[in-house]
Amino acid sequence: METFPKIISVDDHTVEPPHVWRDRLPSKYRDVAPRVVRAPLKEMTFLGGRFAPVMGERGDDGPVGDWWVYEDLRRPLTRLDTAVGYDRDEIKLEIITYERMRPGSYRVPDRLADMDVNHVQSALCFPTFPRFCGQTFTEAADRELALLGVRAYNDWMVEEWCGPEAGGRLVPLTLVPLWDASLAAAEVRRNAARGVRAVAFSEIPPFLGLPSIHGDAWDPFLRACDETGTVIAMHIGSSSKMPSTSADAPPAVGSTITFANCCFSMVDWLMSGVFERFPKLRIMYAEGQIGWIPYILERADAVWKENRAWGGVAEKVLRPPSELFAGHIYGCFFDDAFGLRNLDAVGAGNVLYETDYPHSDSTWPDSRRVGEEQMAHLPPETVHRIVRGNAIDLLGLTPEGLWAG
């Protein structure tokens, strides 16, 4: 492709530097707020979709790394958090320190430099320690501190990670206190007032012990997103339950079917009636890929047409699900040649591009080459729309593709 558009990635990741909560919470919380300690690893497994690290004591044998400590949580930094730049066969489940991490994972100037290498202009970044939609704070016992932790993360995201040093190239994605829909709505509005147009949410909230979207429990939050033009961004794994088949299935099984939760989630939203109640609401599925979408839409339309009388949706889903999808839902991909060959069945206006930096699946530093190869059959205007145009519209960026705050 002669001129491939500069990429706007709607799914990259930041690894929070150690000072995020230390600098933004009252001093009385210093010993209980999220903090980094260096300690040995006793053991670590990742089976059946469950990540299980065990922190050792000072003086124990075992590899030493940096751990986030918060209440009962002990979460180590691992090579999977920041894998770009390593040969695929060298990327293993191992504990690391910040010094062994690619600096672009947590430093703005280095991130911008790595974006330049990858033909990326702008990037929206999901969290690491808070997890993809803030589950870490949702699971905390001290709700007062958890709320402060969510707000502190958002302040860091807006003011520092996406601050002046980023020059508009880093686009903020904020969190909400998922345990209270009214508090969540207030946080959406607080951040929308400073130009934020994306908020993280769980793909399947009941997996977190939260209400489903089939009732009205989330209406204050959904109304805030609808009224402020804030897109709801759901990343694979934002339900804290990665798909798997058995307790002893290796990670490769779950990695192959990571799209499954997005699939289940999208059907939930299409059959919920939410889009009828909130007509300006838009949602996106980060790292879910797009190749599976056409069949799900075909099947959902058939069920809506043939079975809606007894299927519990006749009174609340008033249009075919595929029509709702076209007006409200975005699929995100970084490596999906099959999906692109079937783009007409998805819709060029409903697709966003991503690079997944710095994770092991990332196409960095070859995102341009991958895109050129997989989109070679598409007209230039369609490529532009997928690679950056849709993201500009969805995230409220400037015509140049920058976040203006």
Side-chain angles (χ1 to χ4, degrees), residues 103-120:
S105 302
Y106 65 99
R107 291 180 186 160
V108 171
D110 298 282
R111 171 60 63 92
L112 299 181
D114 279 353
M115 289 163 61
D116 289 339
V117 169
N118 202 31
H119 198 67
V120 173

Side-chain angles (χ1 to χ4, degrees), residues 50-203:
R50 182 173 180 268
F51 176 50
V54 179
M55 184 177 176
E57 301 290 336
R58 186 182 299 273
D60 285 352
D61 293 333
V64 173
D66 287 333
W67 297 71
W68 279 100
V69 175
Y70 173 47
E71 292 193 341
D72 294 333
L73 179 65
R74 302 293 184 267
R75 199 284 192 192
L77 298 179
T78 76
R79 176 57 59 212
L80 300 187
D81 293 324
T82 173
V84 293
Y86 283 78
D87 182 271
R88 296 294 183 184
D89 290 334
E90 295 177 355
I91 301 172
K92 300 177 181 179
L93 185 61
E94 61 176 340
I95 192 170
I96 61 171
T97 63
Y98 277 92
E99 289 81 5
R100 295 183 58 209
M101 186 181 299
R102 191 169 186 87
S105 302
Y106 65 99
R107 291 180 186 160
V108 171
D110 298 282
R111 171 60 63 92
L112 299 181
D114 279 353
M115 289 163 61
D116 289 339
V117 169
N118 202 31
H119 198 67
V120 173
Q121 180 190 25
S122 304
L124 181 85
C125 297
F126 283 82
T128 296
F129 167 71
R131 312 220 294 284
F132 294 145
C133 68
Q135 303 102 296
T136 295
F137 294 109
T138 301
E139 295 166 358
D142 187 335
R143 292 293 199 213
E144 180 181 357
L145 176 55
L147 179 59
L148 291 175
V150 167
R151 290 174 175 167
Y153 176 86
N154 292 340
D155 290 344
W156 170 80
M157 168 62 61
V158 174
E159 299 166 5
E160 187 171 333
W161 183 251
C162 301
E165 191 175 27
R169 296 180 62 190
L170 295 173
V171 182
L173 171 71
T174 52
L175 305 176
V176 293
L178 291 169
W179 59 90
D180 187 310
S182 295
L183 287 176
E187 191 63 12
V188 167
R189 297 184 190 279
R190 181 175 84 95
N191 291 303
R194 47 185 177 175
V196 177
R197 291 293 178 268
V199 63
F201 190 67
S202 175
E203 61 205 350

Side-chain angles (χ1 to χ4, degrees), residues 1 10 24 41 55 58 65 70 76 80 110 142 159 183 204 230 269 289 294 305 337 348 350:
M1 197 169 294
V10 296
R24 287 171 177 76
L41 172 71
M55 184 177 176
R58 186 182 299 273
Y70 173 47
L80 300 187
D110 298 282
D142 187 335
E159 299 166 5
L183 287 176
I204 308 177
T230 300
W269 284 81
Q289 313 301 336
K305 180 180 178 181
N350 297 84

